Amino acid sequence: MQTVPRKRTGNGIIFSQKAAPYIFVSPFILSFLLFFLYPSISTIIMSFQEVLPGETKFIGVENYKKLLNPHFYAALRNTTIYTIWTLIILIPLPLVLAVILNSKAIPGRNFFRSAYFIPALTSTIVVGVVFRLIFGELESAPANTLLKWLGLPPQQWTMHWGTGMFLMVFLASWKWLGVNILYFLSGLQNIPKELYESAEMDGAGAFRKFFYITLPLLKPVVIYVLTISIFGGFRMYEESFVFWQNQSPGDIGLTLVGYIYQEGFMNNDMGFGSAVGIVLLIIVFVINIIQLKVTGAFRKEG
């Protein structure tokens, strides 16, 4: 019996089981090469160069020596303190609110879930304009009016380091609180209800269920939120820009990303800006590796 040869078509390669995995991952690989690996390597090279219009030359580690200046120290201090405050606020508070909103005993919980998430959909620039009106320098500004009503002196909010930091942290907390609540709510949905029912049968109260069931089973979500919050804190720029536009008095609003923008684009010193960017990358990488090690994210489950 004579066999009929199978007809080859161009679609054969596309629908091949061997080629399919490479076709599916190729968009990610191309995006990684074009938008991450190539810019990263170029930035590392530029950090050892003096980049002027039409002229580029290697200058060794001179750009890194220039980092030892008061502006970089101020940017590093502001960014670090801002990140610490956002971690203190934007992890415990959304976690508690998510547990409350996950309870069926809370009336209108779907409304509150939506209400908390709406700020994340709002532009930071638009919100910043509203915040500048609320926390204006005039005594008739709403925030100063409230202080006077409480018997406290009015403040020049954007002229002092403490009040400036408060504004940036308050704006970030208002905007990202709902997003973190959403992460924790999604984690709470995956906790089996049988565990809570068994704990109730054993006489466990709300606090014991929270600390012995909810927190341990939410640990992967907490680690994830902690990781992206550290990234978000050190890459902060918009919250500072809406209040000072890169010209804050005494560098009270200067951040590391703002310093990169100042040196790289406003002062046309791309080499020094790249050096600041590489240092920022190393800081974030080291901090996240340490926190992942401490929280046991690298530990294999037995």
Side-chain angles (χ1 to χ4, degrees):
M1 183 176 179
Q2 188 175 4
T3 58
V4 179
R6 183 175 296 178
K7 186 178 180 181
R8 287 180 174 272
T9 63
N11 293 333
I13 297 176
I14 297 176
F15 292 104
S16 167
Q17 291 186 353
K18 293 182 178 178
Y22 299 101
I23 294 173
F24 281 117
V25 301
S26 59
F28 167 75
I29 293 176
L30 289 174
S31 302
F32 175 78
L33 294 175
L34 288 175
F35 301 113
F36 181 79
L37 188 60
Y38 172 70
S40 298
I41 294 175
S42 299
T43 304
I44 293 172
I45 294 173
M46 275 199 298
S47 69
F48 295 100
Q49 294 176 329
E50 184 182 40
V51 184
L52 299 174
E55 181 183 356
T56 301
K57 63 179 180 181
F58 280 93
I59 57 173
V61 295
E62 290 301 317
N63 286 326
Y64 290 94
K65 290 182 179 176
K66 288 163 59 179
L67 290 173
L68 305 176
N69 69 78
H71 300 293
F72 177 75
Y73 294 148
L76 181 60
R77 181 193 62 172
N78 293 338
T79 306
T80 304
I81 293 175
Y82 168 86
T83 303
I84 292 172
W85 273 114
T86 52
L87 293 179
I88 291 173
I89 296 173
L90 285 176
I91 291 183
L93 183 59
L95 176 58
V96 173
L97 288 174
V99 172
I100 294 173
L101 292 176
N102 195 50
S103 172
K104 294 182 179 178
I106 302 299
R109 58 177 184 158
N110 289 331
F111 167 77
F112 288 110
R113 289 177 179 179
S114 304
Y116 278 120
F117 189 72
I118 285 176
L121 305 176
T122 311
S123 165
T124 304
I125 303 299
V126 175
V127 178
V129 173
V130 176
F131 268 61
R132 290 185 66 175
L133 294 174
I134 295 174
F135 297 95
E137 309 301 327
L138 300 175
E139 293 189 9
S140 58
N144 281 334
T145 303
L146 178 61
L147 289 180
K148 287 169 62 179
W149 184 71
L150 295 173
L152 299 173
Q155 299 291 328
Q156 291 185 313
W157 297 94
T158 57
M159 300 300 291
H160 303 287
W161 184 84
T163 52
M165 181 61 67
F166 166 76
L167 290 180
M168 291 191 292
V169 173
F170 187 25
L171 176 56
S173 302
W174 180 83
K175 184 171 175 61
W176 298 114
L177 182 69
V179 176
N180 287 358
I181 288 176
L182 202 62
Y183 287 134
F184 291 127
L185 275 173
S186 63
L188 289 170
Q189 304 299 317
N190 293 324
I191 299 178
K193 293 182 173 54
E194 292 79 8
L195 294 177
Y196 293 109
E197 293 171 356
S198 300
E200 289 174 359
M201 292 176 65
D202 292 336
F207 285 98
R208 289 177 65 87
K209 287 189 289 184
F210 178 76
F211 285 106
Y212 289 98
I213 297 177
T214 304
L215 268 185
L217 294 181
L218 271 184
K219 182 180 176 182
V221 182
V222 174
I223 293 174
Y224 173 74
V225 174
L226 179 62
T227 304
I228 63 171
S229 297
I230 292 173
F231 275 115
F234 276 95
R235 62 163 287 279
M236 186 272 285
Y237 176 64
E238 300 95 333
E239 285 82 355
S240 170
F241 181 82
V242 297
F243 290 115
W244 295 284
Q245 291 84 43
N246 298 310
Q247 296 295 332
S248 59
D251 290 336
I252 60 174
L254 184 62
T255 64
L256 286 174
V257 176
Y259 195 42
I260 294 173
Y261 180 81
Q262 276 188 11
E263 296 298 329
F265 296 98
M266 297 177 68
N267 298 333
N268 291 320
D269 194 347
M270 295 296 291
F272 183 52
S274 299
V276 180
I278 294 301
V279 171
L280 174 61
L281 176 66
I282 293 172
I283 291 173
V284 174
F285 179 77
V286 170
I287 291 176
N288 268 310
I289 289 296
I290 292 173
Q291 71 90 4
L292 290 173
K293 183 72 177 176
V294 170
T295 54
F298 295 135
R299 199 174 302 147
K300 293 182 179 179
E301 296 182 0

